[in-house]
């Protein structure tokens, strides 16, 4: 164990006493993130009060409808009428209806086309109403309301819009179900009274048979009478702020950390070329001990780098705002876990890449190719949210999972379990594979 610790210390000391390496590892990504973040700070603006509105939505109503109390009812149409403005709607109608302001919804007939529109960035989400929606939410004698699912196919790049739409759809659906229960309860009450009060029963039966009693329940499903209300209010309190340094800083940090990981692992090849590795192997130190110590050092190099950048970006952000603020969110435990798993994933990939080559020169070439590729996919240079294929392939990179985790934490959203799992799996798999390949191929 003492030999492994000595190897780890040697790796860290060699790296962080080299001024040129520090310039590449910390100063360069910090400067780039600061410049880009400052340039975009007006767009993300902490003081901006721009409301959420005009969310692009595709709505597909596959509801087949049902006959309820002698009338044809399609509950899916209620959702369509609430969200999709009529073609002949006046500007005044559009302005007065808050739902029409909040969303820019269009009705489609093809669910696959709606999902494709979300994937290519045309829509923030697609709301797909199933064929049995009315059958499930309608309520009658011996026919209770059944669970039903409205599909909300949302873009991961627009989590806020997806959350808003989810709340709206749930509210509307609950209102429809409540209305159906209320109507049927009224009818059941009339029938029960007719059975207990013969005089009322005769009048009720006569009215029903002659058509005199023909209640119109459509107003209960008329969007104009729907109890759903959305009000815009100005409230006091601290608004949720997002510092652009989180997005650009984490992207740059992970981008440069890939070069650090590969460069650090390449040191083993350089030691073999210089004869240092041979002298170590003829000592009583086992080969596996050397490899484990070396690659734990690679991981810690990455961890120290990303931790230093996180602290430095916090200081820069605080200076720009004029007051100290930890820009990575309030959950320090999850922030620490994210730093560790990002370093693990990046270090693992660096170890694996270097295990496949024979010379430091080959490793340097591969580091440039893989670093740039992962940087592009991870959004280090520009957003690929709306770029087909690339916005799907990016999930194979630690850059995507790391930047997404840091962004969610900065917004105090703690649901990053899948991010941590993916980063840990990437790191563990590539570290084990890299050490195994090195152990088999290492020749002195």
């Amino acid at each position: 164990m003492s030999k492994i610790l000595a190897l780890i210390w040697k790796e860290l000391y060699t790296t962080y006493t080299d001024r040129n390496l520090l310039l590449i590892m910390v100063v360069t990504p910090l400067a780039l993130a600061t410049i880009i973040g400052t340039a975009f700070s007006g767009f993300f603006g902490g003081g901006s009060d721009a409301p959420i509105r005009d969310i692009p939505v595709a709505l597909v109503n596959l509801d087949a409808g049902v006959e309820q109390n002698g009338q044809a009812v399609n509950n899916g149409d209620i959702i369509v009428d609430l969200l999709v403005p009529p073609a002949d709607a006046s500007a005044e109608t559009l302005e007065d209806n808050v739902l029409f302001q909040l969303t820019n919804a269009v009705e489609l007939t093809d669910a696959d086309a709606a999902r494709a529109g979300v994937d290519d960035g045309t829509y923030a989400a697609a709301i797909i109403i199933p064929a049995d929606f009315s059958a499930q939410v309608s309520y009658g004698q011996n026919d209770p309301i059944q669970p039903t699912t409205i599909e909300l196919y949302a873009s991961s790049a627009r989590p806020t819009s997806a959350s808003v739409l989810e709340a709206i759809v749930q509210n509307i659906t609950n209102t429809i179900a409540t209305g159906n229960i209320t109507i049927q309860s009224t009818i059941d009450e009339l029938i029960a009274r007719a059975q207990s009060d013969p005089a009322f029963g005769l009048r009720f039966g006569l009215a029903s048979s002659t058509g005199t009693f023909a209640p119109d329940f459509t107003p209960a499903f008329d969007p104009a009478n729907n109890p759903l209300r959305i009000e815009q209010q100005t409230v006091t309190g601290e608004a949720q702020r997002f510092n652009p340094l989180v997005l650009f800083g984490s992207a740059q940090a992970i981008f440069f950390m890939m070069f650090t990981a590969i460069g650090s692992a390449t040191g083993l090849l350089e030691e073999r070329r210089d004869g240092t590795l041979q002298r170590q192997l003829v000592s009583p130190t086992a080969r596996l001990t050397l490899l484990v110590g070396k690659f734990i050092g690679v991981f810690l190099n990455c961890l120290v780098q990303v931790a230093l950048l996180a602290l430095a970006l916090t200081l820069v952000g605080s200076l720009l705002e004029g007051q100290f603020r930890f820009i990575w969110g309030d959950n320090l435990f999850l922030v620490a876990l994210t730093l560790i798993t990002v370093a693990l994933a990046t270090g693992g990939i660096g170890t694996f890449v270097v295990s496949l080559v024979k010379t430091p020169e080959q490793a340097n070439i591969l580091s440039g190719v893989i670093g740039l590729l992962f940087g592009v996919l991870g959004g280090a240079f520009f957003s690929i949210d709306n770029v087909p294929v690339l916005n799907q392939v990016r999930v194979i990179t630690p850059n995507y999972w790391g930047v997404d985790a840091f962004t969610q934490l900065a917004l105090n959203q703690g649901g990053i379990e899948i991010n941590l799992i993916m980063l840990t799996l990437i790191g563990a798999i590539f570290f084990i594979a890299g050490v195994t390949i090195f152990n088999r191929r290492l020749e002195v």
Side-chain angles (χ1 to χ4, degrees):
M1 186 63 186
S2 60
K3 293 181 179 180
I4 292 178
L5 293 176
L7 289 167
I8 293 172
W9 171 251
K10 172 181 173 292
E11 186 68 26
L12 291 173
Y13 180 81
T14 302
T15 299
Y16 288 96
T17 55
D18 189 323
R19 294 181 180 179
N20 293 328
L21 281 179
L22 287 176
L23 182 66
I24 297 174
M25 293 170 56
V26 179
V27 178
T28 301
L30 177 61
L32 285 175
T34 301
I35 293 170
I36 299 174
T38 303
F40 281 87
S41 60
F43 176 75
F44 286 93
S48 174
D49 295 324
I52 298 174
R53 60 178 298 155
D54 296 327
I55 302 172
V57 183
L59 184 55
V60 182
N61 182 21
L62 303 177
D63 188 8
V66 293
E67 184 175 324
Q68 189 175 19
N69 300 309
Q71 297 183 14
V73 175
N74 188 306
N75 292 295
D77 286 341
I78 299 173
I79 300 177
V80 174
D81 292 339
L82 280 169
L83 296 180
V84 181
D88 58 352
S90 65
E92 184 179 356
T93 299
L94 296 176
E95 189 64 28
D96 291 342
N97 190 311
V98 179
L99 278 177
F100 292 164
Q101 294 180 38
L102 185 64
T103 67
N104 182 17
V106 296
E107 185 176 9
L108 302 181
T109 58
D110 188 341
D112 290 335
R115 297 187 189 97
V118 175
D119 291 337
D120 65 25
T122 303
Y123 308 110
I127 300 171
I128 302 171
I129 305 170
D132 63 349
F133 179 65
S134 288
Q136 297 295 78
V137 300
S138 296
Y139 183 78
Q141 289 182 323
N142 302 317
D143 182 24
I145 287 178
Q146 300 294 322
T148 186
T149 301
I150 293 180
E151 180 182 352
L152 180 64
Y153 188 82
S155 169
S156 60
R158 305 182 185 182
T160 303
S161 297
S163 299
V164 171
L165 291 171
E166 180 182 9
I168 290 174
V169 172
Q170 286 181 347
N171 199 323
I172 294 174
T173 304
N174 291 337
T175 299
I176 292 172
T178 302
N180 282 322
I181 293 173
T182 302
I183 291 171
Q184 189 58 47
S185 298
T186 302
I187 299 223
D188 290 346
E189 180 63 26
L190 289 173
I191 293 175
R193 182 178 174 186
Q195 292 174 344
S196 62
D197 185 346
F200 175 81
L202 288 174
R203 294 195 302 273
F204 179 62
L206 180 62
S208 298
S209 61
T210 60
T212 305
F213 180 76
D216 181 11
F217 293 112
T218 55
F221 301 97
D222 187 341
N225 298 323
N226 195 285
L228 174 66
R229 294 288 183 269
I230 296 180
E231 297 180 356
Q232 296 178 335
Q233 297 181 352
T234 301
V235 297
T236 58
E238 184 178 356
Q240 180 68 54
R241 293 180 295 171
F242 177 76
N243 194 313
L245 285 175
V246 171
L247 179 62
F248 297 109
S250 58
Q252 292 297 326
I254 300 174
F255 170 64
F256 279 90
M257 189 164 48
M258 186 65 67
F259 292 98
T260 298
I262 296 177
S264 183
T266 303
L268 194 63
L269 300 178
E270 294 174 345
E271 289 178 359
R272 181 177 63 181
R273 183 183 58 188
D274 298 338
T276 305
L277 182 62
Q278 289 87 333
R279 290 193 294 272
Q280 291 176 334
L281 288 176
V282 297
S283 68
T285 304
R287 174 184 296 186
L288 189 59
T289 299
L290 285 172
L291 292 176
V292 170
K294 176 69 179 181
F295 295 128
I296 291 178
V298 172
F299 159 69
L300 289 178
N301 265 336
C302 294
L303 179 59
V304 172
Q305 179 188 10
V306 72
L308 286 175
L309 282 170
L311 292 174
L313 288 165
T314 295
L315 293 176
V316 170
S318 299
L319 288 173
L320 292 175
E321 291 191 13
Q323 61 179 350
F324 179 80
R325 187 169 74 90
F326 189 68
I327 63 175
W328 306 99
D330 298 332
N331 196 325
L332 298 182
F333 176 71
L334 286 182
V335 170
L337 278 183
T338 304
L339 292 172
I340 292 171
T341 53
V342 164
L344 178 67
T346 309
I349 292 175
T351 299
F352 177 74
V353 169
V354 176
S355 73
L356 301 178
V357 300
K358 294 183 178 180
T359 66
E361 291 73 22
Q362 292 175 344
N364 291 334
I365 294 173
L366 268 182
S367 70
V369 173
I370 293 176
L372 287 173
L373 176 62
F374 280 20
V376 170
L377 293 176
F381 311 110
F382 52 84
S383 174
I384 62 169
D385 292 339
N386 299 327
V387 180
V389 181
L390 290 184
N391 58 8
Q392 303 297 319
V393 176
R394 62 182 178 177
V395 298
I396 67 173
T397 70
N399 307 59
Y400 168 75
W401 295 108
V403 172
D404 182 67
F406 283 123
T407 302
Q408 291 190 57
L409 289 174
L411 294 171
N412 288 320
Q413 299 173 1
I416 62 167
E417 292 81 4
I418 185 65
N419 301 69
L420 298 177
I421 291 172
M422 289 301 299
L423 289 168
T424 302
L425 285 176
I426 291 172
I429 291 171
F430 281 104
F431 256 123
I432 293 172
V435 171
T436 302
I437 295 173
F438 254 120
N439 194 41
R440 290 179 178 178
R441 293 184 59 207
L442 196 59
E443 298 176 0
V444 298

